[in-house]
Amino acid sequence: MPAGPAADPPHPLAAPLLAGERRALAKAITLAESTRPDHEREAQTLLSQVLPHAGRSVRVGLTGVPGVGKSTFIEALGVRLADAGHRVAVLAVDPSSVRTGGSIMGDKTRMPALTVHEGAFIRPSPSGGTLGGVARRTREAITLCEAAGFDVLLVETVGVGQSETQVAAMTDLFVLLTLPNAGDELQGIKRGIMELADLCVVNKADTNPAAANRAQRELSAALRLLTPHDAPWRPRALQASALTGAGLDEVWAAVEEYRSDPGRVERRRREQTGAWFEELLREAAWRKFRAGVDAERLRALRAEVLAARLTPVQGVRELMGDRKG
Amino acid sequence: MPAGPAADPPHPLAAPLLAGERRALAKAITLAESTRPDHEREAQTLLSQVLPHAGRSVRVGLTGVPGVGKSTFIEALGVRLADAGHRVAVLAVDPSSVRTGGSIMGDKTRMPALTVHEGAFIRPSPSGGTLGGVARRTREAITLCEAAGFDVLLVETVGVGQSETQVAAMTDLFVLLTLPNAGDELQGIKRGIMELADLCVVNKADTNPAAANRAQRELSAALRLLTPHDAPWRPRALQASALTGAGLDEVWAAVEEYRSDPGRVERRRREQTGAWFEELLREAAWRKFRAGVDAERLRALRAEVLAARLTPVQGVRELMGDRKG
């Protein structure tokens, strides 16, 4: 290996983290969430040291509108998996935490049984900063949880905003939770989210079996329309009830089936990592560019373009010729 | 107006173009399609001079898998509109032209009646270059057609690849054409395309009325699922037959209804122009960055990231610290 960051001395949290100590894991995530430059450097050193031990988990993204019973579903599924011997970590990407600086997602009080389970680890969404920043820190938390031996990662987000794309881009399989009265309630789902779903689950199916059947049929038809013939995985619609536990085994069986093709998961992760690297690189290039540009001039040129006094191409050329330095 | 490109002397094509001369329009589009730097500058000058006269049209994007009868549909709709006094321009974004350097899209022989109609103008897809380049030249062709007095712009693309997003981003309304046996055939539609549709039209409805009714119902249900309650426009599914002409008036009535809210169209266009400007700017910044970067080093760092020997953040930092100059 060439000399580089990996040549740094082992970070003190690395050994206890790899030994599965949850206090070390919690500290490591806090370090990765810090925006202090020295903490950021330290976190990157730690991350690169544990990277070779990460990746051995199934990463499941979950979304659904408020009221769909997301917490209850994740807790029921998580307890079932932890009881079966899995080590289950629950993470969250909550866009509201970006705006408010506070977060309700991943709140431990929402999942009382899972919180006290010795096989589980729950961490609320990082708060503050941009959505991209929150997503990055959640990606890093995934790596840290995996290095600590957690083999099931449940990453939740709410069914509004841009966070679903981010969570779908960091998980192996993306699950959309809906309600039995899909025809009415699903309309709250933002355009584009069903396209991300590898699995749709009609939750609370016990409350209205007839409506749940209808919702499942409608979702199946919609997924069929949305999926090309030659797709490597055909998204499907299932029913479940977090309350009674019905259907949870079927949901997990579908996850296992998806995972049964290791090539599929490897390809998806490789594509995700490559795309994430390029996204970070483009963002870095864009920040560097913006830092060197006259912001007043940019605003003025944009206004000229919007007023149809300059073509967009001319606006860009003027600005590129205009850069400081 | 500040001194700038708009202060150039009038381009010789500007006056005949604004007078609606189609030879001048064809020449202007050829100029805009040229990749010669002096032609590009000239085209931008011309474009900025006619920009204030552009924008007074309805821009309709159309897509559908091969076999759906796109050309026949566009011809039937176009002739109907031209007969009614509209001036109709047909443009195309064909991703295959990017790869092959040749293009079948917008081929005049596919639309014999519209080709010879005095109220119509048909232009094949620009060929060669990147999809972004093809899309940019089609945007510029839209501006030139509008400046020449064409008030209906039909922009077609095929239902595969990334070109649909580009066409949806340059039109007021995006139409997805499907076949009566939607349950089977629609699966050829790429994931994400139905999300772009403001209107779905089951074409060739006359060939199988029962299947067409079923397809319309299924599409309506899927569109309902995909559309939020508070959407400013609720996408709908219609039926038509380009062969018999049935349903074409209803399709155009839906377009007119969409257009009846001028604020909606204005907002969409303003957002499109702003997004397009930023996209061009980001691309320019990225090109500039790439030009200054050690390509070999970038490849090596990317490989380290994919092999999990560096975190993506570390890879980017290494590269940003590594830039030449």
Side-chain angles (χ1 to χ4, degrees):
Chain A
M1 199 187 301
D8 289 326
H11 190 280
L13 284 172
L17 181 73
L18 292 172
E21 285 180 25
R22 66 182 62 215
R23 229 177 116 237
L25 173 58
K27 274 190 183 172
I29 295 179
T30 303
L31 188 67
E33 288 180 354
S34 171
T35 51
R36 263 177 53 183
D38 58 328
H39 285 173
E40 287 196 0
R41 271 192 304 276
E42 215 185 305
Q44 290 302 319
T45 301
L46 173 62
L47 278 161
S48 64
Q49 287 169 354
V50 303
L51 255 188
H53 307 279
R56 296 186 202 97
S57 80
V58 47
R59 305 169 185 163
V60 180
L62 299 113
T63 194
V65 294
V68 78
K70 217 159 40 251
S71 306
T72 317
F73 182 88
I74 290 171
E75 167 153 72
L77 184 65
V79 165
R80 184 168 290 233
L81 293 169
D83 280 348
H86 289 286
R87 295 192 71 208
V88 180
V90 179
L91 304 172
V93 174
D94 178 6
S96 71
S97 72
V98 171
R99 290 191 299 274
T100 64
S103 170
I104 54 150
M105 300 278 300
D107 180 350
K108 297 185 183 190
T109 60
R110 292 182 305 128
M111 303 181 189
L114 196 58
T115 301
V116 299
H117 201 296
E118 59 174 346
F121 177 84
I122 302 181
R123 180 85 183 192
S125 175
S127 63
T130 62
L131 173 58
V134 168
R136 172 186 137 188
R137 283 175 257 155
T138 305
R139 283 173 189 267
E140 292 171 349
I142 289 177
T143 298
L144 295 168
C145 288
E146 288 178 345
F150 287 87
D151 65 323
V152 173
L153 269 289
L154 305 178
V155 187
E156 67 168 322
T157 187
V158 291
V160 290
Q162 293 297 308
S163 52
E164 291 74 24
T165 314
Q166 299 272 5
V167 171
M170 66 177 77
T171 50
D172 302 329
L173 189 111
F174 193 66
V175 180
L176 172 64
L177 296 176
T178 72
L179 290 170
N181 47 345
D184 301 329
E185 298 305 322
L186 253 193
Q187 296 179 22
I189 293 280
K190 211 177 125 83
R191 229 177 163 172
I193 288 183
M194 199 141 89
E195 305 280 9
L196 297 173
D198 300 295
L199 206 58
C200 284
V201 179
V202 182
N203 193 26
K204 301 187 182 176
D206 56 306
T207 60
N208 190 341
N213 286 334
R214 199 173 58 242
Q216 188 181 8
R217 267 200 315 277
E218 286 186 15
L219 285 167
S220 292
L223 289 170
R224 192 158 43 81
L225 284 179
L226 293 172
T227 311
H229 269 303
D230 58 350
W233 170 259
R234 304 200 60 77
R236 64 190 68 167
L238 299 171
Q239 295 185 32
S241 166
L243 204 66
T244 68
L248 290 179
D249 286 343
E250 286 76 10
V251 169
W252 196 249
V255 173
E256 294 282 7
E257 185 188 330
Y258 184 93
R259 288 267 303 171
S260 65
D261 178 349
R264 176 160 57 209
V265 174
E266 267 324 295
R267 268 193 308 279
R268 179 155 167 168
R269 288 189 176 182
R270 203 182 152 85
E271 282 169 17
Q272 286 176 338
T273 305
W276 177 235
F277 179 59
E278 181 167 327
E279 193 183 321
L280 287 175
L281 204 54
R282 280 182 180 257
E283 277 307 317
W286 178 238
R287 271 200 309 276
K288 199 173 179 102
F289 174 79
R290 288 290 296 260
V293 108
D294 180 340
E296 200 48 62
R297 179 86 177 127
L298 173 55
R299 259 193 298 278
L301 284 169
R302 191 169 186 280
E304 293 286 301
V305 167
L306 288 177
R309 281 191 293 266
L310 279 182
T311 70
V313 171
Q314 282 177 325
V316 170
R317 290 200 179 150
E318 294 253 319
L319 193 73
M320 297 304 289
D322 248 17
R323 287 187 62 197
K324 286 181 206 160
Chain B
M1 201 186 301
D8 290 324
H11 190 280
L13 284 173
L17 181 74
L18 292 173
E21 287 180 23
R22 67 181 62 215
R23 231 180 113 234
L25 172 58
K27 274 190 181 173
I29 295 179
T30 303
L31 187 68
E33 287 179 355
S34 171
T35 53
R36 264 178 53 183
D38 58 327
H39 285 172
E40 287 195 358
R41 272 193 303 276
E42 216 186 302
Q44 292 301 320
T45 302
L46 173 60
L47 278 161
S48 64
Q49 287 170 353
V50 303
L51 257 187
H53 307 279
R56 296 188 201 96
S57 80
V58 47
R59 304 170 186 163
V60 181
L62 299 112
T63 194
V65 292
V68 77
K70 216 158 41 248
S71 306
T72 317
F73 183 88
I74 290 172
E75 167 151 271
L77 184 64
V79 165
R80 188 168 285 233
L81 293 169
D83 281 347
H86 288 287
R87 295 191 71 207
V88 180
V90 179
L91 304 172
V93 174
D94 177 5
S96 71
S97 72
V98 172
R99 290 190 300 272
T100 64
S103 169
I104 54 151
M105 299 281 299
D107 180 352
K108 297 184 182 189
T109 61
R110 292 182 304 126
M111 303 179 189
L114 196 58
T115 301
V116 299
H117 201 297
E118 60 173 345
F121 177 84
I122 301 181
R123 180 85 183 191
S125 176
S127 64
T130 61
L131 175 57
V134 168
R136 171 185 138 188
R137 284 175 259 156
T138 305
R139 283 172 189 268
E140 293 172 347
I142 289 176
T143 299
L144 294 169
C145 287
E146 288 177 345
F150 287 87
D151 65 324
V152 174
L153 269 290
L154 305 178
V155 187
E156 66 167 324
T157 189
V158 292
V160 290
Q162 293 296 312
S163 52
E164 291 73 25
T165 314
Q166 298 272 4
V167 171
M170 65 177 79
T171 50
D172 302 328
L173 187 111
F174 193 65
V175 179
L176 171 64
L177 295 177
T178 74
L179 290 170
N181 47 345
D184 302 327
E185 299 304 322
L186 252 194
Q187 296 179 20
I189 293 281
K190 212 178 124 80
R191 231 178 162 175
I193 289 186
M194 200 141 90
E195 305 280 10
L196 298 172
D198 301 296
L199 206 57
C200 284
V201 179
V202 182
N203 194 25
K204 301 186 180 175
D206 55 309
T207 61
N208 190 340
N213 286 335
R214 199 175 56 243
Q216 188 182 7
R217 268 199 314 276
E218 286 186 16
L219 285 166
S220 291
L223 288 171
R224 192 162 41 83
L225 284 178
L226 293 170
T227 311
H229 269 303
D230 58 350
W233 170 259
R234 302 200 64 76
R236 63 188 73 168
L238 298 172
Q239 295 185 32
S241 166
L243 204 66
T244 68
L248 290 178
D249 286 344
E250 285 75 10
V251 169
W252 196 249
V255 173
E256 294 281 10
E257 184 187 331
Y258 185 94
R259 289 266 303 170
S260 66
D261 178 349
R264 176 159 57 207
V265 174
E266 267 325 295
R267 268 193 308 279
R268 180 156 167 166
R269 289 190 175 182
R270 203 182 152 85
E271 281 168 17
Q272 286 175 339
T273 304
W276 177 235
F277 180 59
E278 182 167 326
E279 192 183 323
L280 286 175
L281 204 55
R282 280 180 180 260
E283 277 307 315
W286 179 239
R287 271 199 308 277
K288 202 175 179 101
F289 174 79
R290 289 290 296 259
V293 111
D294 181 340
E296 200 47 63
R297 180 87 179 128
L298 173 55
R299 259 193 300 277
L301 285 168
R302 191 170 186 281
E304 292 287 300
V305 168
L306 288 177
R309 282 191 293 268
L310 279 181
T311 71
V313 170
Q314 283 177 322
V316 169
R317 288 199 182 151
E318 294 254 319
L319 193 72
M320 297 305 288
D322 247 17
R323 288 189 58 197
K324 287 181 203 160

